Amino acid sequence: MSEASAVYLRMKELFAGTATRSRRAKKTVEDRAASQPFGSGRDPRGIADVMDALTAQMGWTGALAKSDLLDGWLELAGEETAKHAVPDQIADGVLVVRCESTAWATQLRMMRSELLARIAERFPDADIVSIRFQGPDAPSWKRGPRSIPGRGPRDTYG
């Protein structure tokens, strides 16, 4: 073996973190058992099992459950309710639902416990603690090119 080859193998051993083996080294019984094609742990697995293991390993189960909750709102709340109320976001365990009117927001507030039970049953990994129903935003009188300081246009008694 030349000096250059010896230096190369030494550097490879230091920086690669694996020891080099000479060609004459015999495989141990453990090495042979690990390389058997039909040994334990070598059975093929379904793609669903692989994806479940990957999501659990990477810590994605909560985020995927939240996404599934937002996508499955139609089945969860019902067709008529889903027409008038849309899930907006999930922040700190609170599902925010935007309603098209205050009447729908009030009606859904009365159904809050039922919806929370359905969410806990179908999406336990989403960690939803509460639901906040918001009606449409009211117009603001505090901004705009013609706004003035004070109480505004509704100040008629003074």
Side-chain angles (χ1 to χ4, degrees), residues 107-124:
Q107 184 66 27
L108 289 174
R109 282 186 195 109
M110 289 189 269
M111 296 174 51
R112 178 178 292 151
S113 61
E114 181 183 339
L115 286 171
L116 277 173
R118 287 185 196 169
I119 290 171
E121 179 183 326
R122 288 189 57 195
F123 307 102

Side-chain angles (χ1 to χ4, degrees), residues 22-157:
S22 67
R23 291 183 185 171
R24 295 182 197 151
K26 302 260 183 188
K27 288 188 174 186
T28 62
V29 176
E30 295 171 6
D31 288 342
R32 286 188 201 131
S35 67
Q36 289 180 352
F38 298 106
S40 64
R42 300 284 303 223
D43 293 332
R45 297 189 315 177
I47 190 72
D49 295 334
V50 172
M51 292 305 292
D52 288 342
L54 178 67
T55 56
Q57 180 184 3
M58 299 299 282
W60 296 340
T61 54
L64 289 175
K66 290 175 185 176
S67 175
D68 288 343
L69 168 65
L70 295 177
D71 287 341
W73 177 253
L74 179 70
E75 294 87 22
L76 185 72
E79 188 175 331
E80 188 65 27
T81 304
K83 287 180 187 176
H84 303 286
V86 179
D88 188 28
Q89 65 178 339
I90 299 173
D92 298 327
V94 178
L95 172 64
V96 178
V97 178
R98 296 241 180 240
C99 303
E100 73 175 21
S101 68
T102 55
W104 273 102
T106 303
Q107 184 66 27
L108 289 174
R109 282 186 195 109
M110 289 189 269
M111 296 174 51
R112 178 178 292 151
S113 61
E114 181 183 339
L115 286 171
L116 277 173
R118 287 185 196 169
I119 290 171
E121 179 183 326
R122 288 189 57 195
F123 307 102
D125 292 332
D127 295 330
I128 301 298
V129 179
S130 178
I131 304 175
R132 189 172 77 207
F133 299 102
Q134 293 182 339
D137 293 330
S140 173
W141 298 97
K142 298 293 181 185
R143 290 180 233 118
R146 295 188 175 96
S147 66
I148 58 169
R151 290 194 51 199
R154 287 177 265 163
D155 186 14
T156 58
Y157 298 105

Side-chain angles (χ1 to χ4, degrees), residues 2-25:
S2 69
E3 184 177 323
S5 297
V7 169
Y8 169 74
L9 291 175
R10 177 69 179 141
M11 291 296 171
K12 183 178 175 184
E13 182 179 299
L14 289 174
F15 293 107
T18 58
T20 58
R21 301 171 83 184
S22 67
R23 291 183 185 171
R24 295 182 197 151

